[in-house]
Amino acid sequence: MNIDITVKIGGEAGQGIQSVGQILSFVCQKAGLYVFGINDYESRIRGGHSFFQLRISDKPINAPNNVVNLLVSLDKRTYEIHKNELSINAISVIDSEDLHFNDGILSLPIMKEAIKAGGSQTANIVAAGACLSLLKTPFEFLEEAVHEIFGRKKEMLESNIAAAKIGFQMASSVQFNYAFKWDKNSSKGIIMEGSKAIALGALASDCRFAAFYPMSPATGIMTHLSSFASAYKIPLVVEQAEDELSAINMIIGASFAGVRSMTSTSGGGFCLMTEGLGLAAITETPIVIVNAQRPGPATGLPTRTAQADLLFVIRASQDEFPRFVFAPGTPKEAFDTIIKAFHLSEKYQVPSIVLSDHHFNSSMFLVEEPLNVPPTIERFLAKDEDLENINEYKRFLLTPDGVSKRALPCMGKALVVVSGNEHSEDGHVSEAAQNRINMVNKRNAKLVSMQKEISSPESYYGDSEILIIGWGATKPAIQESINILRKNGINVGSLHFKDLWPFPLEFSEKILKNSKKFFVAEENSTAQLGQLIKEQTGLSYSGAILKYDGRPFFPIEIVNKLTDFLKV
């Protein structure tokens, strides 16, 4: 069996598009299939155009396909918008007063039958039933999914089961070329959004305080954290602050008192946080910030995706100070990266910034690998017994590696003094010229050890003549494009940067010099990683595959663009 089918369900916001996607995903996962789903919606509560696109396969997938095999339109606009994406022998399901099938269009009285089943709100379940019937899914798989989702509310369960049966029956006689044989295999893993993986990583890191101001697409991280804390009685405080300035200053305060803390925001919110970022730097207070990128500047496109904040976060805030910057490419990487970000932020007393984006945060992945919680959380705190002379404790003592012993205020007898002004070793304000030089050198001295903590970029067919270089959430699309290009006879591989700053210089330089050509693939207009590579290694990319329309890469787009480059 070789299954690779894309189903798209579109309509207006408020029509239950995501619920249909949730049901289809659940059914496929329970049947042992792989799924990858993207949510696409406009920045409005109701109306507009939204869709959920689900790719179903019997092989691992983590990127969207550009060709649609089954289109379900819950409003009139959806078919017109997406009809050009349909494959040969595709079927489009549309809502109509009558039931008929002609020229690839299956007209079903979805709304009319939904009202009979229990109300117009069940129209999405009628559509889900029809969709799974076309795929020849056993009805009991669908029934199980509806029970899973609505089982706690008996009245809703009954009406939705009725709606599912109606939709399933109406489409049962239609032959669909992409239907396949369903087996009841074991689930390959769990379905998870990228934002949930980030939230779970924070919990596994022993994060106990999170402050935020709502901003798409970062809000989902805090929503998950809040729900975990509530459902499992976890001693975690999630605070919705009045703005982003307050959010970052709250986590600095909590961390100063010894509590592992984080915030999440998007580019515009991160702009507001940059002064606080500097405060964390000069007070050497560990914090973790997740910047879930979206297209900007200003409000930009709140519900679209981008990778345009890389150079910004590396340089953000006034003056010069060290920081870590990471950009995971999969939910498993996100979980592990957040743990690493907390650990290293505390070890070196510097900010850690994790870059995600809207596509990553809101997409649904099937996660096969276990998310392992570290058996112990290493804290880098100095108690009284760790200090040689409590009475002469200096929070910012000059040391060869730049890291001073970190005592907490009121935890013992040591006096902890800090200031946002430049300060002396004991934390008091100082404008002495030599002290200023000493403190800058102290903070920068951390970079030597920080560099050693950085993981090398992950290579995929890394010894190839041609390499495609990417970072963050484009990893699956790039790797799938590599598979297609290699089948086409092109000797190509990829390099994925997860740890971005301090820049992994040594390995990058070595592998890039071994390739004949390398290209960058990024979701921005100026090839920001390409610029960074040139700045750090002196090596120039041969071409840039760029996309900045607010939508994620399809693998075929990378394939086509690279093929065009190689023809020149």
Side-chain angles (χ1 to χ4, degrees):
M1 200 161 44
N2 189 11
I3 302 167
D4 192 349
I5 296 169
T6 293
V7 180
K8 177 173 280 187
I9 307 103
E12 294 182 357
Q15 285 191 297
I17 307 292
Q18 291 186 347
S19 295
V20 181
Q22 188 181 4
I23 288 172
L24 298 184
S25 304
F26 184 84
V27 169
C28 294
Q29 182 229 4
K30 289 293 182 184
L33 294 166
Y34 292 93
V35 292
F36 175 75
I38 55 174
N39 272 310
D40 190 295
Y41 49 91
E42 297 178 2
S43 178
R44 58 178 69 187
I45 303 300
R46 298 189 71 86
H49 175 63
S50 301
F51 68 80
F52 181 87
Q53 182 165 313
L54 184 70
R55 188 175 176 190
I56 306 166
S57 179
D58 54 352
K59 297 182 177 57
I61 45 166
N62 279 310
N65 199 349
N66 62 321
V67 176
V68 176
N69 308 108
L70 177 56
L71 175 65
V72 181
S73 304
L74 294 179
D75 67 352
K76 293 179 180 177
R77 291 180 61 201
T78 297
Y79 177 74
E80 292 301 320
I81 292 172
H82 298 289
K83 63 183 180 183
N84 293 331
E85 302 167 18
L86 296 171
S87 67
I88 297 172
N89 296 322
I91 286 182
S92 296
V93 178
I94 63 172
D95 187 16
S96 168
E97 285 294 309
D98 304 312
L99 194 162
H100 60 269
F101 178 54
N102 192 25
D103 293 334
I105 296 179
L106 175 60
S107 300
L108 298 176
I110 294 174
M111 185 57 71
K112 186 177 169 183
E113 295 298 325
I115 292 171
K116 289 181 186 174
S120 59
Q121 70 277 10
T122 64
N124 57 344
I125 308 300
V126 175
C131 187
L132 288 168
S133 181
L134 287 169
L135 292 171
K136 301 303 175 201
T137 315
F139 181 75
E140 58 266 29
F141 289 17
L142 170 57
E143 194 170 24
E144 184 182 349
V146 176
H147 270 279
E148 183 77 20
I149 295 169
F150 300 103
R152 293 180 183 175
K153 299 176 182 177
K154 186 180 178 185
E155 189 175 328
M156 288 184 66
L157 176 64
E158 290 175 353
S159 61
N160 281 294
I161 288 287
K165 282 180 179 174
I166 290 171
F168 199 87
Q169 183 61 36
M170 283 196 297
S172 61
S173 62
V174 177
Q175 294 302 309
F176 182 40
N177 283 11
Y178 297 100
F180 55 88
K181 184 176 182 300
W182 290 71
D183 297 316
K184 188 72 173 177
N185 296 319
S186 300
S187 299
K188 299 291 192 301
I190 57 174
I191 294 175
M192 182 179 294
E193 297 170 343
S195 57
K196 182 177 279 189
I198 292 172
L200 287 171
L203 287 182
S205 305
D206 203 31
C207 175
R208 288 292 176 260
F209 180 72
F212 74 110
Y213 184 73
M215 190 169 188
S216 297
T219 309
I221 298 167
M222 292 297 166
T223 304
H224 286 305
L225 273 179
S226 179
S227 63
F228 294 150
S230 174
Y232 302 107
K233 310 297 180 190
I234 296 171
L236 162 70
V237 174
V238 181
E239 174 73 14
Q240 180 176 327
E242 60 266 39
D243 54 36
E244 285 87 350
L245 285 77
S246 299
I248 191 167
N249 285 309
M250 283 181 180
I251 68 167
I252 292 170
S255 181
F256 176 67
V259 177
R260 284 196 162 188
S261 307
M262 71 171 289
T263 186
S264 67
T265 186
S266 188
F270 188 78
C271 288
L272 295 170
M273 290 181 178
T274 54
E275 188 175 5
L277 182 70
L279 178 62
I282 202 167
T283 59
E284 302 188 40
T285 306
I287 58 170
V288 173
I289 305 170
V290 178
N291 178 355
Q293 301 162 98
R294 72 189 202 190
T299 304
L301 298 172
T303 60
R304 304 294 175 192
T305 201
Q307 286 186 313
D309 292 349
L310 173 59
L311 296 181
F312 172 46
V313 301
I314 288 174
R315 312 290 187 208
S317 194
Q318 67 271 41
D319 206 8
E320 306 157 314
F321 56 85
R323 71 199 71 183
F324 287 104
V325 177
F326 306 103
T330 66
K332 168 66 173 169
E333 283 186 1
F335 179 84
D336 293 338
T337 296
I338 291 291
I339 294 171
K340 183 175 182 178
F342 271 99
H343 175 77
L344 293 181
S345 175
E346 189 163 289
K347 182 175 181 181
Y348 293 98
Q349 301 168 24
V350 298
S352 283
I353 303 165
V354 179
L355 288 169
S356 68
D357 55 50
H358 181 270
H359 170 64
F360 180 78
N361 275 28
S362 62
S363 291
M364 294 173 62
F365 301 81
L366 194 141
V367 182
E368 287 188 273
E369 298 172 278
L371 304 180
N372 297 318
V373 176
T376 57
I377 299 292
E378 187 177 7
R379 301 299 305 264
F380 299 90
L381 303 174
K383 298 177 182 175
D384 284 350
E385 54 268 31
D386 301 319
L387 305 175
E388 293 179 4
N389 188 336
I390 295 171
N391 296 327
E392 295 183 2
Y393 171 68
K394 295 177 179 178
R395 172 66 185 88
F396 304 101
L397 182 71
L398 299 177
T399 61
D401 63 1
V403 179
S404 315
K405 288 185 177 179
R406 181 180 171 222
L408 297 179
C410 304
M411 186 174 73
K413 296 179 180 177
L415 178 63
V416 181
V417 179
V418 298
S419 172
N421 289 61
E422 193 58 275
H423 45 252
S424 57
E425 290 179 282
D426 60 10
H428 289 96
V429 175
S430 170
E431 295 193 10
Q434 188 57 51
N435 178 72
R436 159 67 183 168
I437 294 170
N438 290 343
M439 283 297 149
V440 171
N441 291 342
K442 169 192 183 322
R443 293 191 284 268
N444 286 341
K446 299 176 184 179
L447 277 167
V448 177
S449 300
M450 288 170 62
Q451 180 84 52
K452 296 174 183 172
E453 304 279 5
I454 291 294
S455 300
S456 300
E458 180 184 331
S459 62
Y460 186 64
Y461 296 106
D463 56 352
S464 302
E465 293 179 355
I466 300 166
L467 292 176
I468 299 177
I469 315 298
W471 59 281
T474 57
K475 177 182 176 179
I478 291 175
Q479 291 194 347
E480 186 169 330
S481 76
I482 297 298
N483 295 335
I484 299 170
L485 287 161
R486 291 185 72 86
K487 284 181 181 175
N488 294 342
I490 300 173
N491 188 356
V492 61
S494 69
L495 202 60
H496 173 255
F497 282 73
K498 176 174 59 67
D499 293 8
L500 284 155
W501 197 261
F503 188 77
L505 179 61
E506 189 175 344
F507 180 85
S508 306
E509 206 169 36
K510 183 180 176 183
I511 195 165
L512 291 175
K513 280 182 175 176
N514 285 339
S515 66
K516 286 187 177 178
K517 292 181 178 180
F518 71 90
F519 299 80
V520 292
E522 305 181 51
E523 290 169 354
N524 58 60
S525 66
T526 57
Q528 295 192 16
L529 178 59
Q531 292 182 52
L532 192 62
I533 290 172
K534 187 173 183 180
E535 174 192 283
Q536 296 294 315
T537 67
L539 301 171
S540 296
Y541 53 89
S542 299
I545 304 166
L546 305 177
K547 186 172 183 178
Y548 42 93
D549 61 1
R551 277 70 178 174
F553 270 126
F554 294 116
I556 197 66
E557 293 174 315
I558 300 170
V559 170
N560 292 340
K561 189 66 179 176
L562 185 78
T563 305
D564 289 344
F565 274 129
L566 297 180
K567 287 177 182 173
V568 176

